[in-house]
Amino acid sequence: MRHSIALTIGPASFRIGSAWPAPIAQLAHLYRAYPTPPEGIADFTVRLEPSKPWRRHIRPSIHITGDHGLADAAPMALAHGLLAAEMGMNLQMALGWRRHLLLHASCVEKDGRALVMTGESGSGKSTLAAQLGERGWRLMGDEFALLDLHSGQIFAFPRLISLKNAAISVMEAEAAPDRFGPLLRATAKGDIRHLSPRADAVARMAEGAMPALLLFPRYGFAPEIRTVGQGEVFMRLTQASTNYTALGEPGFTALTRFVQTVPAHAIDFPSGEDAIALVEQLWAEAR
Amino acid sequence: MTVPTRYRAAPATDLIVRALDDITLIYHRPSSQTHMVASPVPEILDALRTTPLTAPLPEREGPGVGSERSEPPAHATQTPAQILTTLSTHFDLGDPATARPVIAAHLEEMVALGLIHRA
Amino acid sequence: MTATLLVQTLRDPASAARLSAPDWNALIAAARAERLIGTLAYRLEHAEVPAPVRPILADARTEAVREARQALWEADRARAALAPLNIPVVLLKGTAYAAAHLSPAQGRFIGDLDILVPRAALDAVEAALIAAGWEWVKPDPYDDAYYRQWMHELPPLIHRDRDRMIDVHHSILPLTARPKPDAAALLTDSIPISEGSLKGLRILSPTDRICHAAAHMLADGDLSGGLRNLWDIHCLLTDLAPSEDLPTRTAHHGLTAPVAQAQRLARHLYAPHEKPAPLPLQDRLIAKRLLATNAWGQETQKPLRMGYYLRSHALRMPPMMLARHLVTKWRKGHRG
């Protein structure tokens, strides 16, 4: 491939090849504080290829693939190349990672203990984690939390935070401009802007933390806290995991232990400030 | 009269059973599948798994009782009627005429999943 | 052509000691692209490899063990569904290798469950599988009719709960293909599995396994996944007892040419040797196609690949039938 970069995010490393220079240059800028793969050997290969041979120059169109790919993945515009690269890395993790149970969840850490938040896209979990990450918590990830199969610790996967629509201006008010990627207008998920995690989140990305609280946030409702039964927690977490089935028995053992030991609540909130207040309240109670 | 089907539990090493606060999880090793089950499925499994090979069975129907075999299976086999009797010592199952087809249906579902076997 | 690196490392695991970091990246990408990462991981189980490679290979081995367990469970469910029919049920390909602990099984990716049954029992097999929870995958009546009229298998079925596919074959090549393997002899000479939960199922005889693997690779497919198929053939040939008469059997099935070609290719690419023996021209083209993966795991040699798709169809179907098939496909494609 003509253009490439190699980087390590948490326990996983990637080499990303691209037919075009722009996505690689953007990655190089936003991931500037991240290490390269150990000994130069990456866990996964990601490729950003022209969707048809002639689509490298004429109306460039990116096909995302790599070691693991989806046959029916929709091609993307070159202007959204950074998003394509991020999706390519997510795809490798979702389909290929086996060293942890992968939970589709955001995660922050304080005093060596982790708060895990999971929910559908639009639930506010990503924005909430991004905000907490600027307010005294360590951001461990806005998309995946990695549950260790043996120790029960959560490990970080702090890739770029993917801010969508209204969350973009919320975070523009909190973080320095040089941590932001280009504004990507009119993607399949609306407007998207990527944000580099804070330096401490990157420097400490290899540190695990025992999970202390699990939340199911829901944005846009009157404030409410509900306890969630273990059966429902188990079911929702298997649905939120891309590799639960693939891990087999170790995944079952790790997830049942998580469900039996970590208190879980569903929280509804009408605004980001309400959410932060609810989280701090539940966090204090969980101690 | 037809001989009733007999059932026995899958080998203990095939299953991991974890009771959560509201439901029971069963991990089935040969299929790598997780099953979330509620009563009376865990109890049926218990009834089949805890029957010692030499225990006197409540009724004797037809051949094939575990203790008579040259190579006994890991668990004794039971008929649906025997399982119903065991369950009714722990549960109020209501009218046996209603309970019987329900238990029979559960048993066949459990066979299809590999949690128990037809003897 | 870095699949060369993959072939060389499978052939001679000790050569891994000489690999650079870019070599490793290329090797891992090629092994994943060819679905040989599990096989590679076992070949390198006791080799000195760089620290970051170790977990990648360990993951691949764990994955292969899990794959095999799931494949055997699927075979067990088919066994249970078909037991009342009292017919021979022969496991094919990956599941057969895993069930009988044959050497290609080690680390092998296993996809669908493939079974061979007597043609006369097809309707009963279909009914029994559907009663046990399998459902049709293809809703397209043309494809369905095509399968039933011309293919050596039922249209694929998928289990509604387990989401796994089963291919029910009554022969090892489509009815339209030029070679006509003796399906009855495949069944008659198959070998029962004598132990474990799959007791009652059968596998092909040692020579028929090679006939099937070669027919599948060279007389049937478009050569995609060819390096893996050829690895199977290499292992099966290595394990073949000297007393077995392979030439007579391949002649009986009309598969002398593809089996001989598979033997030449397997020897050329996988057998330990100092310097590979020269290959005839048509073999060289196939070898080139097999090795057409670059350092990023991409397929190169696209025109060659297209050629093989046509070749594959031409081999399976006489020309008039091919035209009919392509036209029907084409019309459908343009109607959207």
Side-chain angles (χ1 to χ4, degrees), chain A residues 167-254:
Chain A
I168 297 173
S169 57
V170 170
M171 293 312 296
E172 280 169 346
E174 302 217 21
D178 70 341
R179 287 172 52 203
F180 285 90
L183 177 61
L184 311 178
R185 290 193 187 280
T187 75
K189 291 182 173 177
D191 292 350
I192 287 185
R193 198 165 183 200
H194 291 94
L195 171 64
S196 284
R198 286 167 61 96
D200 66 309
V202 179
R204 294 174 59 205
M205 69 185 185
E207 277 178 45
M210 282 310 283
L213 182 62
L214 171 68
L215 296 177
F216 296 97
R218 203 162 60 137
Y219 171 76
F221 294 85
E224 195 191 341
I225 301 174
R226 290 182 312 278
T227 300
V228 186
Q230 290 180 352
E232 187 184 340
V233 173
F234 184 86
M235 197 176 69
R236 290 172 74 162
L237 290 179
T238 54
Q239 287 165 352
S241 173
T242 56
N243 67 356
Y244 171 76
T245 315
L247 286 171
E249 187 175 336
F252 174 81
T253 309

Side-chain angles (χ1 to χ4, degrees), chain C residues 53-70:
Chain C
V53 174
R54 266 177 243 138
I56 294 173
L57 298 181
D59 286 349
R61 287 189 292 266
T62 308
E63 187 84 348
V65 169
R66 185 189 69 85
E67 281 268 354
R69 176 176 303 151
Q70 214 161 25

Side-chain angles (χ1 to χ4, degrees), chain C residues 44-298:
Chain C
L44 295 178
E45 194 172 7
H46 305 294
E48 277 290 319
V49 303
V53 174
R54 266 177 243 138
I56 294 173
L57 298 181
D59 286 349
R61 287 189 292 266
T62 308
E63 187 84 348
V65 169
R66 185 189 69 85
E67 281 268 354
R69 176 176 303 151
Q70 214 161 25
L72 294 181
W73 177 250
E74 211 49 34
D76 180 74
R77 292 297 84 188
R79 177 200 57 74
L82 301 178
L85 304 185
N86 267 318
I87 53 161
V89 176
V90 181
L91 297 175
L92 300 173
K93 298 193 255 187
T95 311
Y97 306 150
H101 310 289
L102 302 178
S103 63
Q106 201 173 48
R108 192 187 191 278
F109 170 85
I110 307 176
D112 309 338
L113 170 61
D114 292 277
I115 61 170
L116 176 75
V117 298
R119 196 173 182 190
L122 272 187
D123 290 344
V125 167
E126 182 177 342
L129 290 175
I130 285 171
W134 275 271
E135 295 170 341
W136 296 120
V137 185
K138 293 193 184 259
D140 180 329
Y142 167 74
D143 271 340
D144 193 68
Y146 163 72
Y147 262 92
R148 283 169 196 275
Q149 196 174 353
W150 306 118
M151 291 300 280
H152 53 310
E153 58 199 27
L154 288 176
L157 291 153
I158 196 159
H159 196 274
R160 62 164 181 249
D161 299 326
R162 296 191 301 275
D163 207 29
R164 301 277 296 196
M165 196 114 87
I166 187 169
D167 277 326
V168 180
H169 304 246
H170 59 80
S171 185
I172 56 171
L173 276 180
L175 302 177
T176 51
R178 214 157 303 144
K180 305 273 184 248
D182 181 350
L186 294 171
L187 288 166
T188 314
D189 295 336
S190 64
I191 299 168
I193 294 171
S194 54
E195 53 179 321
S197 64
L198 297 181
K199 197 171 164 176
L201 294 175
R202 311 177 71 87
I203 58 169
L204 292 175
S205 75
T207 48
D208 282 348
R209 277 171 226 153
I210 293 168
C211 290
H212 180 212
H216 177 63
M217 177 180 165
L218 293 165
D220 185 14
D222 66 351
L223 284 186
S224 68
L227 277 185
R228 200 210 47 208
N229 292 331
L230 197 63
W231 179 257
D232 289 347
I233 292 168
H234 163 71
C235 292
L236 294 172
L237 283 168
T238 308
D239 291 352
L240 193 69
S243 56
E244 297 280 354
D245 184 358
L246 184 60
T248 303
R249 192 63 172 182
T250 58
H252 177 78
H253 287 307
L255 291 169
T256 301
V259 170
Q261 189 172 38
Q263 279 180 291
R264 289 193 302 271
L265 287 164
R267 197 181 315 123
H268 181 80
L269 292 178
Y270 289 133
H273 50 60
E274 291 297 309
K275 194 161 171 261
L279 285 174
L281 179 64
Q282 80 272 27
D283 291 11
R284 282 213 298 275
L285 287 174
I286 292 181
K288 194 170 177 198
R289 161 71 189 93
L290 290 174
L291 297 173
T293 302
N294 72 11
W296 285 83
Q298 287 170 299

